[in-house]
Amino acid sequence: MNRATLTLLALLLICALSLVAAQQRARKLFVALERAQIEERKLSQEWLRLEYEQRNLSKSARIRDVARNQLHMVPITPDRTLYLKEAK
């Protein structure tokens, strides 16, 4: 074999190996992308669940129930109201 054939064969081998390496990198990146998309879907579902829970916890009826039952608060009545007058 002459020198040009050996050179072309070496270049062909280098190109083939770089192609295999590039395909392997592409596969790894694709797998990482798929994992990231799955994680994104999970986080999106968790976010929607948390928003729903926040809406339920912030409803006025729930706040009123917590205020009465846990904090033992009662509504204001006129006989319990103390009116102050400003001194002039």
Side-chain angles (χ1 to χ4, degrees), residues 44-60 62-63 66:
S44 177
Q45 289 173 350
E46 180 70 12
W47 176 257
L48 291 173
R49 187 190 64 77
L50 288 172
E51 280 185 326
Y52 176 75
E53 187 177 328
Q54 182 182 19
R55 279 193 303 269
N56 283 341
L57 290 175
S58 65
K59 288 183 179 175
S60 61
R62 167 117 172 97
I63 294 171
V66 169

Side-chain angles (χ1 to χ4, degrees), residues 7-65:
T7 306
L8 288 176
L9 184 61
L11 285 174
L12 180 65
L13 225 65
I14 291 171
C15 288
L17 290 175
S18 67
L19 175 65
V20 169
Q23 286 177 336
Q24 182 63 23
R25 270 194 309 263
R27 285 186 194 110
K28 285 182 181 180
L29 289 173
F30 181 75
V31 168
L33 175 66
E34 288 292 319
R35 286 183 183 151
Q37 287 174 341
I38 289 170
E39 183 69 18
E40 178 192 15
R41 284 191 291 272
K42 286 180 184 177
L43 290 173
S44 177
Q45 289 173 350
E46 180 70 12
W47 176 257
L48 291 173
R49 187 190 64 77
L50 288 172
E51 280 185 326
Y52 176 75
E53 187 177 328
Q54 182 182 19
R55 279 193 303 269
N56 283 341
L57 290 175
S58 65
K59 288 183 179 175
S60 61
R62 167 117 172 97
I63 294 171
R64 190 171 37 253
D65 289 343

